[in-house]
Amino acid sequence: GENVEQHPSTLSVQEGDSAVIKCTYSDSASNYFPWYKQELGKRPQLIIDIRSNVGEKKDQRIAVTLNKTAKHFSLHITETQPEDSAVYFCAASMWGGKLIFGQGTELSVKP
Amino acid sequence: GAVVSQHPSRVICKSGTSVKIECRSLDFQATTMFWYRQFPKKSLMLMATSNEGSKATYEQGVEKDKFLINHASLTLSTLTVTSAHPEDSSFYICSARDGLGGAVNYGYTFGSGTRLTVV
């Protein structure tokens, strides 16, 4: 089955700096790659997603890149703000099937 | 947008009792519901996939007799933790593929989660 690896597990940056979180997946048939932000005790909140027919997607300060050949995708957050501090999860699925999550990255943005 | 309502949000039960968690899709038909559990500071681990009108598919290592899943309608899926023990204490969360964007531009909608504490 699908396996998603996420790195780093923790990331600390200064306010205004960029943050990058990377994920790899094992099943080349996976075609949907969302990123979620989760606050303690809350449901995951979708922040951006990408499908396998594109290589990059951007939404204001957030971007995701996908390399299908290498089976990895990355989240890029620019101009980080303290409110970006949270746990971020990558995930992968195939044609709307089960969504498999990475291990999570705890991002801390220091003022 | 798609909404999944999950109840209860918190529950405390005694060891040996059973607890039922409900997830209801409010504005779309959820033919498939995914159930996850999450331990503190850990990832969401898929427990099972439920399909309306058929038996759930459990992930390896998940006891199907302990975690009973019922998906009797297109809008309701339930997870029952039977004979609960303290080690079952966790955050349980459901998710449904919403399909609002059609067969191609689908997304996943999550319930708000249930914090189960077994004492």
Side-chain angles (χ1 to χ4, degrees), chain B residues 50-111:
Chain B
S50 74
N51 294 293
E52 185 267 336
S54 63
K55 290 184 178 181
T57 302
Y58 290 82
E59 295 298 303
Q60 192 172 6
V62 178
E63 299 177 62
K64 61 180 181 180
D65 294 331
K66 180 167 188 61
F67 299 100
L68 299 179
I69 291 173
N70 184 280
H71 196 151
S73 78
L74 287 172
T75 59
L76 177 64
S77 178
T78 62
L79 167 68
T80 301
V81 183
T82 63
S83 187
H85 291 284
E87 56 265 32
D88 298 324
S89 298
S90 188
F91 187 62
Y92 294 86
I93 191 163
C94 60
S95 175
R97 194 189 81 162
D98 57 45
L100 294 182
V104 176
N105 293 320
Y106 55 83
Y108 293 81
T109 300
F110 288 84

Side-chain angles (χ1 to χ4, degrees), chain B residues 8-77:
Chain B
S9 57
R10 291 178 181 273
V11 58
I12 300 173
C13 70
K14 293 184 178 181
S15 288
T17 61
S18 295
V19 173
K20 180 184 282 187
I21 301 169
E22 290 190 354
C23 277
R24 194 178 297 271
S25 57
L26 299 186
D27 49 3
F28 68 102
Q29 293 182 332
T31 55
T32 302
M33 193 77 77
F34 305 98
W35 287 93
Y36 296 86
R37 68 185 298 182
Q38 185 177 31
F39 291 108
K41 294 187 177 293
K42 297 293 185 182
S43 185
L44 286 82
M45 299 301 297
L46 181 65
M47 300 174 65
T49 301
S50 74
N51 294 293
E52 185 267 336
S54 63
K55 290 184 178 181
T57 302
Y58 290 82
E59 295 298 303
Q60 192 172 6
V62 178
E63 299 177 62
K64 61 180 181 180
D65 294 331
K66 180 167 188 61
F67 299 100
L68 299 179
I69 291 173
N70 184 280
H71 196 151
S73 78
L74 287 172
T75 59
L76 177 64
S77 178

Side-chain angles (χ1 to χ4, degrees), chain A residues 55-70:
Chain A
E56 185 174 0
K57 184 176 179 180
K58 189 174 181 180
D59 182 5
Q60 298 183 337
R61 298 187 296 111
I62 296 173
V64 56
T65 58
L66 171 65
N67 183 327
K68 287 189 292 183
T69 303

Side-chain angles (χ1 to χ4, degrees), chain A residues 31-32 36 38 41-44 49 51 89 93-104 106, chain B residues 4 34 36 38 41-44 46 49 59 91 93 97 103-108 110-112 115:
Chain A
N31 61 355
Y32 177 65
Y36 296 93
Q38 188 183 30
K42 304 290 186 182
R43 78 185 83 195
D49 59 7
R51 300 179 197 269
F89 291 99
S93 77
M94 177 174 59
W95 293 113
K98 53 187 180 182
L99 191 62
I100 304 300
F101 285 81
Q103 294 86 348
E106 185 171 6
Chain B
V4 171
F34 305 98
Y36 296 86
Q38 185 177 31
K41 294 187 177 293
K42 297 293 185 182
S43 185
L44 286 82
L46 181 65
T49 301
E59 295 298 303
F91 187 62
I93 191 163
R97 194 189 81 162
V104 176
N105 293 320
Y106 55 83
Y108 293 81
F110 288 84
S112 54
R115 172 72 59 194

Side-chain angles (χ1 to χ4, degrees), chain A residues 21-22 52 105:
Chain A
I21 303 171
K22 298 182 178 182
S52 61
T105 297

